[in-house]
Every structure is written in structure tokens, then in C-alpha cells.
Amino acid sequence: MAEWFIQRKDEGAEEGPLRPSELLRLVREGEVTRTTKIRKGDSTWFEASEVGGLFEAALRPTIEYLCPGCEEEIPEPPTVCKHCGREVYNAITRITENTIAVKDDAKSNSVVSGAKRSVAQWLKRKGVGNDKDQ
């Protein structure tokens, strides 16, 4: 698994190693911007904007699967719930639309709003929603 490191602008401190999911969380929270210096493993530092698909991935919806018996999070079905032991073929789905927090940048704010609309339209076309199929 890839390990990522970021350089904090205000402190100049290095943070990491980070898993890809942690890096995406920092992008969504606005802590990692396009100009934030990052590196993968032992590579040299570069701007986050140079990582193809990083900001697009942060905007993708997050899909979680819940056991219809105990409503605990489970892997994508088919699976067996480790909490209640139930065999799950159709799970409850919880979809979270993600955004990227923007601090004092009106231009970036309009980009995020447009991306959020695009995600909503994509989900509508796919017919994806919160289901409680059992």
C-alpha cells in the first residue's frame, strides 16, 4: 500500500505516513490543496495538483454497506456480518456525497459546487439511493 506524506505550509512540518484514504480525507477537509507539497514514499516533494485524479477521487461519493440485521458496517455483499453472523446478500447502502472544503477562494468554491451537482446528476442517472433491501 502506498504511503503518502504532506508538508504543512504554516508549520513546515512533515506529516505521515498516510494511507490513501487519509490523504483523501485531508483533501476533503481542505487541509491539502492543489499547492500543498506532498510525496509518495521516498520520492521528492511535488504539488498535490500533480497527482492525477486525486481531487476527482476526493469528490466521488462514498458508499458504505450496512448489515440489514444489526446495521453495522460490512464489506460489500455477499458477505457474512462479523457482528451478528448473518449471511448478507443485499445490504443497506449509505451513500455520502463528498465535497472539498474551500477556504477563502471563490473560484475554487464554484468548481466544488459544480462538481457536487455533477455527482448528484450521476447518482440520479445510475438510480443509486439509500435502499433497505433485505
Side-chain angles (χ1 to χ4, degrees), residues 102-120:
V102 179
K103 299 174 184 171
D104 303 319
D105 187 348
K107 181 179 177 185
S108 294
N109 207 3
S110 65
V111 170
V112 170
S113 297
K116 187 174 181 182
R117 281 193 304 277
S118 296
V119 168

Side-chain angles (χ1 to χ4, degrees), residues 5-85:
F5 296 84
I6 65 169
Q7 229 176 32
R8 296 282 184 178
K9 280 185 183 179
D10 51 344
E11 305 157 12
E14 181 178 308
E15 185 176 329
L18 303 168
R19 295 187 320 259
S21 61
E22 294 169 319
L23 180 61
L24 287 175
R25 179 183 53 79
L26 291 173
V27 170
R28 290 177 184 130
E29 292 173 354
E31 296 297 319
V32 171
T33 66
R34 294 186 178 281
T35 59
T36 301
K37 295 289 187 183
I38 67 174
R39 67 181 171 89
K40 184 177 179 180
D42 292 332
S43 71
T44 59
W45 293 101
F46 51 89
E47 289 190 353
S49 62
E50 295 179 40
V51 179
L54 174 62
F55 292 88
E56 292 81 1
L59 288 171
R60 286 191 195 115
T62 303
I63 302 173
E64 298 171 283
Y65 299 96
L66 307 174
C67 173
C70 65
E71 296 193 12
E72 292 291 330
E73 190 170 350
I74 58 172
E76 184 175 0
T79 189
V80 174
C81 177
K82 68 179 180 181
H83 304 282
C84 68

